[in-house]
């Protein structure tokens, strides 16, 4: 094996295609959720500057991927992206692709009450998102969670109609299991599956990832730093801001937090030997599961600030040999995380976990 074949990323970013039918994009996507919801207050000016910095990080001619959901801040996040795109340089704006999740039902107080995947609901959600984003199409559209009362074939069929009408370019899925993925792909081409994947969330490796590769479906991996838990910046005594949903996350609770941060310290030693940060080696590991493993994976980084974005972008320059990958997995073995990735009530909504 040559040196280039044995590394996670070259020093010059190469676009990655979202599956056999999806767009080719910058190898990191920007997850924008935290700029509007679930991590406490965010700085609007810094959020806009971070989006701009991300858009301009890609080489000329390479598209970038902004990921959002219509329920992030009940539309706030889409409006924020609209503003960021309107105020970005024209060249960067033209290369920006939007990935939107829909379907979550919420109350005025912000509680989640279920999901709606009915075809008529798909059309409704889409109309509102297009208006908030200020665009005539969405590049990748996906239901956030499977509606248990609506066959996935009906939901995907409705998105396929939107593709035919020119309102959507590509169909995506989110947090579905292997069987559901097969059923959806039988209806229409699926560009990518958005699903949590990180050193401490590796459940997709058994059935979901092989199925996606068989069907030519890409992976947009969220939670690559497990909501900051394996970023190298989280500490045992950190006080979470009001509204930060990590306060209810099992992996951040009690003894679980201590055990998980012990894994981070083991990973920190490996990162130190490479001269990189913990966050960079964790992101580089996810990047390496793509080209080195036979499928394109685009990690979504949830940076809310330019300094965190700059750190994440540095992962693209990290070259991991097979020996490095072995050392990383020895530090953080598969299945070593303590606690589920969501509270029990939210785990019940994950088709990918059934």
């Amino acid at each position: 094996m040559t040196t280039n074949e044995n590394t996670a990323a070259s020093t010059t970013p190469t676009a990655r295609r979202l599956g056999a039918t999806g767009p080719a994009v910058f190898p990191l996507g920007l997850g924008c959720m935290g700029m509007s919801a679930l991590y406490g207050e965010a700085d609007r000016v810094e959020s806009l500057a971070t989006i701009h910095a991300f858009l301009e990080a890609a080489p000329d001619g390479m598209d970038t991927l902004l990921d959002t959901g219509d329920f992030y801040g009940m539309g706030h996040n889409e409006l924020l992206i609209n503003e960021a795109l309107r105020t970005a340089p024209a060249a960067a704006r033209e290369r920006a692709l939007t990935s939107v999740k829909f379907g979550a039902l919420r109350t005025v107080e912000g509680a989640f009450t279920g999901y709606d995947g009915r075809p008529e609901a798909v059309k409704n959600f889409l109309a509102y998102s297009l208006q908030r984003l200020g665009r005539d199409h969405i590049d990748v559209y996906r239901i956030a969670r499977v509606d248990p009362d609506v066959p996935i074939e009906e939901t995907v069929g409705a998105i396929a109609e939107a593709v035919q009408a020119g309102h959507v370019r590509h169909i995506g899925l989110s947090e579905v299991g292997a069987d559901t993925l097969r059923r959806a792909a039988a209806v229409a081409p699926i560009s990518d599956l958005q699903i949590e994947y990180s050193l401490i969330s590796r459940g997709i490796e058994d059935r979901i990832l092989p199925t996606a590769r068989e069907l030519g479906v890409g992976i947009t991996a969220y939670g690559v730093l497990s909501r900051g838990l394996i970023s190298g910046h989280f500490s045992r005594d950190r006080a979470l801001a009001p509204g930060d949903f990590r306060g209810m996350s099992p992996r951040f609770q009690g003894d679980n937090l201590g055990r998980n941060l012990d894994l981070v310290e083991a990973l920190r030693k490996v990162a130190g030997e490479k001269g990189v940060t913990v966050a960079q080696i964790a992101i580089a590991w996810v990047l390496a599961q793509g080209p080195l493993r036979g499928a394109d994976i685009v990690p979504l980084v949830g940076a809310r600030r330019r300094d965190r974005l700059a750190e994440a972008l540095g992962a693209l320059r990290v070259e991991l040999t097979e020996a490095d990958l072995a050392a990383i997995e020895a530090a953080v073995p598969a299945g070593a995380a303590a606690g589920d990735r969501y509270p029990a009530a939210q785990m019940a909504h994950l088709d990918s976990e059934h």
Side-chain angles (χ1 to χ4, degrees):
M1 181 177 288
T2 67
T3 301
N4 287 340
E5 290 172 332
N6 201 37
T7 60
S10 67
T11 55
T12 301
T14 301
R16 295 188 172 196
R17 185 167 297 282
L18 297 183
T21 62
V25 298
F26 189 62
L28 291 180
L30 183 63
C32 300
M33 180 188 76
M35 299 176 182
S36 298
L38 300 178
Y39 288 108
E41 292 293 326
D43 184 317
R44 171 182 158 277
V45 173
E46 182 62 23
S47 295
L48 292 170
T50 301
I51 295 174
H52 288 163
F54 171 73
L55 295 177
E56 297 187 56
D60 290 344
M62 187 179 295
D63 290 339
T64 52
L65 187 68
L66 296 172
D67 183 76
T68 185
D70 63 10
F71 51 94
Y72 293 166
M74 276 76 95
H76 177 277
N77 205 235
E78 291 178 319
L79 292 170
L80 181 74
I81 290 173
N82 181 333
E83 182 178 1
L85 293 176
R86 283 189 288 106
T87 55
R93 179 172 62 250
E94 291 169 2
R95 299 196 310 269
L97 306 185
T98 53
S99 166
V100 179
K101 290 177 291 297
F102 70 90
L105 304 176
R106 303 191 69 178
T107 66
V108 173
E109 294 75 22
F112 287 88
T113 61
Y115 298 90
D116 192 344
R118 294 171 302 143
E120 57 266 39
V122 173
K123 296 174 183 178
N124 178 78
F125 289 127
L126 176 59
Y128 280 86
S129 284
L130 290 171
Q131 179 67 26
R132 284 188 292 259
L133 288 167
R135 309 201 113 190
D136 63 5
H137 72 275
I138 289 170
D139 295 284
V140 187
Y141 201 49
R142 68 187 88 236
I143 191 165
R145 300 288 186 268
V146 174
D147 181 346
D149 297 323
V150 178
I152 194 63
E153 291 86 350
E154 293 184 15
T155 303
V156 169
I159 305 175
E161 290 180 5
V163 172
Q164 290 296 318
H167 303 314
V168 171
R169 294 284 170 81
H170 304 281
I171 304 171
L173 293 169
S174 176
E175 286 289 353
V176 304
D179 294 339
T180 302
L181 180 56
R182 286 189 186 281
R183 289 168 51 199
V187 175
I190 305 298
S191 67
D192 67 302
L193 168 61
Q194 187 174 122
I195 196 163
E196 186 166 356
Y197 188 41
S198 73
L199 272 168
I200 64 171
S201 296
R202 298 178 61 176
I204 73 170
E205 292 178 344
D206 292 337
R207 292 190 62 220
I208 296 173
L209 186 54
T211 301
R213 287 172 172 161
E214 175 192 338
L215 297 172
V217 175
I219 298 289
T220 40
Y222 76 89
V224 293
L225 296 179
S226 198
R227 301 159 185 83
L229 181 58
I230 60 171
S231 67
H233 301 297
F234 206 91
S235 62
R236 285 172 169 80
D237 58 355
R238 178 172 172 176
L240 296 173
D244 191 323
F245 85 109
R246 289 174 293 188
M248 298 182 292
S249 173
R251 289 183 175 174
F252 288 82
Q253 302 297 313
D255 291 341
N256 286 350
L257 177 61
R259 289 168 58 189
N260 291 329
L261 289 179
D262 286 343
L263 296 174
V264 175
E265 291 311 305
L267 184 61
R268 194 185 304 276
K269 293 179 181 178
V270 181
E273 293 174 358
K274 291 287 293 183
V276 301
T277 70
V278 175
Q280 287 169 342
I281 206 165
I283 296 168
W285 180 87
V286 178
L287 284 163
Q289 308 313 303
L292 281 180
R293 300 296 186 262
D296 273 351
I297 296 175
V298 175
L300 301 174
V301 296
R304 301 197 297 170
R305 305 189 330 230
R306 282 168 288 180
D307 59 337
R308 292 287 193 256
L309 174 64
E311 180 182 24
L313 291 170
L316 296 173
R317 299 188 295 273
V318 178
E319 299 185 345
L320 298 179
T321 65
E322 292 292 346
D324 294 330
L325 292 169
I328 292 168
E329 297 200 26
V332 187
D340 287 333
R341 55 195 181 101
Y342 285 104
Q346 295 183 40
M347 289 292 287
H349 289 292
L350 298 178
D351 182 79
S352 55
E353 295 287 336
H354 299 158

